[in-house]
Amino acid sequence: MSIQVQSERLNPLTPEQIRCYREDGYLVIKKGCSDDLIDAFNSHIHSIRSSDSMPDWAKPRKGGSAVDDKDRYSVRLFNPHLHDGFSLQMMKLPVVRGALAQLLGDEAAGVQSMYFYKEPGSPGQAAHQDYYYIKNDPNTLTAAWVAMEYTNEDNGCLYVIPGTHKLGVLPHGAVKNLQEHEAWTHEVEDIDLSMEIPVVMEKGDILFFDSNLIHSSTRNRSERWRRSYVCHYIRHDSTIERDDLKKKISLI
């Protein structure tokens, strides 16, 4: 019995999608992941965090410090791809590899992964640019945000300001609305946030966006969760400044 191996790189994006990405700074691939794959990954992550013998790397932490057991399903799982095979394969999805190569002009490498829970009532993150947190040279940083369930304005979807990736890196300061957003982050300054628009996503949709695109999320006002798996990538010839993100994961 022979095993077929994916040898050719996918080219999932049309020229029009690439043009729109260049103009707007983001695009959504509808149903980039099947429901079965999403359900299996959600169950896998839940089994890790619910285990009585949870591995040390998976224990919930804030600011590097361990937190209470009640936070098993609220504090994000940071860089699971470095320890867990399923998380690694989700980072290396063929559709993601292909789309990134089309957008960046060459093969990409993974540098960061985060599994977000965002339980009912939890705050969002104030408007920011990813490059502010993850500086790289040349700047090719791109996010792939996979919706682990239906995401809309009620349960705290992402908001973006189309075209702001063309503005370069803007100053960031203290978060202004602590009722809506987490306090530990920073917020972009000198921008009209009334221009933000929601990105409503079905389970399995994949949102790609530029590192300089201004984006945010709001408080989860629903009784539903808003789980997501977010990975950051750079072109293979870019370098990261942060010591904790220097390891590049080949997508091939």
Side-chain angles (χ1 to χ4, degrees):
M1 178 180 177
S2 63
I3 299 176
Q4 290 188 336
V5 178
Q6 176 77 42
S7 57
E8 292 187 7
R9 188 174 67 204
L10 298 180
N11 294 289
L13 304 180
T14 66
E16 178 62 16
Q17 285 177 304
I18 296 173
R19 187 197 67 78
C20 289
Y21 182 84
R22 301 270 186 264
E23 183 65 24
D24 297 332
Y26 73 100
L27 69 85
V28 176
I29 294 183
K30 301 297 295 181
K31 288 297 182 181
C33 293
S34 69
D35 286 355
D36 287 346
L37 179 58
I38 294 297
D39 291 342
F41 189 51
N42 279 334
S43 295
H44 175 72
I45 295 297
H46 184 269
S47 70
I48 292 174
R49 272 283 172 90
S50 60
S51 173
D52 291 335
S53 56
M54 190 193 318
D56 187 66
W57 64 265
K59 292 178 180 177
R61 289 177 172 82
K62 290 181 178 179
S65 301
V67 295
D68 294 338
D69 192 60
K70 65 180 177 59
D71 292 310
R72 284 175 181 254
Y73 311 115
S74 59
V75 176
R76 66 180 177 175
L77 203 61
F78 188 68
N79 279 338
H81 74 281
L82 296 177
H83 312 276
D84 173 61
F86 200 160
S87 300
L88 175 62
Q89 292 308 310
M90 290 293 289
M91 170 182 269
K92 299 170 66 172
L93 288 173
V95 66
V96 171
R97 176 198 171 197
L100 288 170
Q102 288 182 277
L103 296 175
L104 299 179
D106 204 343
E107 291 286 352
V111 293
Q112 179 176 260
S113 66
M114 295 173 288
Y115 183 95
F116 286 94
Y117 286 95
K118 196 158 188 181
E119 75 278 15
S122 60
Q125 187 169 356
H128 65 283
Q129 297 167 303
D130 286 347
Y131 182 81
Y132 175 79
Y133 296 101
I134 308 177
K135 293 179 174 59
N136 63 111
D137 183 38
N139 181 18
T140 58
L141 185 71
T142 308
W145 199 102
V146 183
M148 292 287 132
E149 52 212 322
Y150 177 60
T151 302
N152 66 356
E153 298 94 324
D154 294 334
N155 66 343
C157 70
L158 285 192
Y159 284 73
V160 301
I161 304 180
T164 48
H165 63 301
K166 300 177 182 179
L167 299 178
V169 184
L170 299 177
H172 287 59
V175 174
K176 300 177 182 64
N177 186 353
L178 296 179
Q179 296 299 313
E180 191 72 24
H181 302 126
E182 295 172 321
W184 63 270
T185 63
H186 292 89
E187 183 171 3
V188 70
E189 299 177 336
D190 303 326
I191 194 73
D192 181 5
L193 296 180
S194 68
M195 297 187 295
E196 288 185 311
I197 61 173
V199 182
V200 177
M201 299 172 67
E202 301 288 341
K203 181 169 74 172
D205 290 354
I206 305 176
L207 168 67
F208 293 86
F209 58 92
D210 185 279
S211 66
N212 280 333
L213 182 76
I214 296 174
H215 60 286
S216 68
S217 61
T218 54
R219 180 175 292 279
N220 184 349
R221 293 181 169 80
S222 74
E223 297 302 316
R224 299 180 289 116
W225 291 65
R226 195 226 65 181
R227 291 167 295 181
S228 59
Y229 188 55
V230 186
C231 294
H232 285 97
Y233 306 84
I234 56 175
R235 202 173 61 208
H236 70 89
D237 58 345
S238 293
T239 56
I240 293 280
E241 289 188 11
R242 279 174 50 176
D243 289 337
D244 63 326
L245 300 180
K246 284 188 179 298
K247 183 176 181 178
K248 297 180 184 180
I249 304 299
S250 172
L251 306 186
I252 300 174

